[in-house]
């Protein structure tokens, strides 16, 4: 969505079922917790691409 001089986007991190196992035998709740810790860095990289 464009707002004047900037663009806003919404990221939805979904599709996780807490007790379902991944192909590697880990529950989604374990993997989701691991992935949640990585979003800060990914958003910074995205900002660098957009601003660059």
């Amino acid at each position: 969505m464009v707002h004047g001089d900037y663009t806003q986007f919404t990221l939805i991190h979904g599709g996780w079922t807490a007790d379902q196992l991944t192909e590697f035998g880990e529950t989604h709740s374990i993997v989701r917790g691991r992935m949640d810790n990585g979003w800060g860095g990914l958003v910074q990289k995205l900002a660098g691409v957009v601003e660059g």
Side-chain angles (χ1 to χ4, degrees), residues 2-52:
V2 176
H3 295 278
D5 293 337
Y6 67 94
T7 300
Q8 178 182 358
F9 79 99
T10 301
L11 172 73
I12 299 173
H13 186 179
W16 300 90
T17 305
D19 58 350
Q20 186 174 349
L21 293 180
T22 67
E23 61 190 83
F24 305 108
E26 295 180 305
T27 62
H28 282 186
S29 59
I30 291 172
V31 176
R32 181 179 178 152
R34 192 178 304 136
M35 291 298 294
D36 282 345
N37 293 327
W39 282 118
L42 290 171
V43 169
Q44 287 179 344
K45 289 178 183 179
L46 177 60
V49 169
V50 172
E51 293 171 356

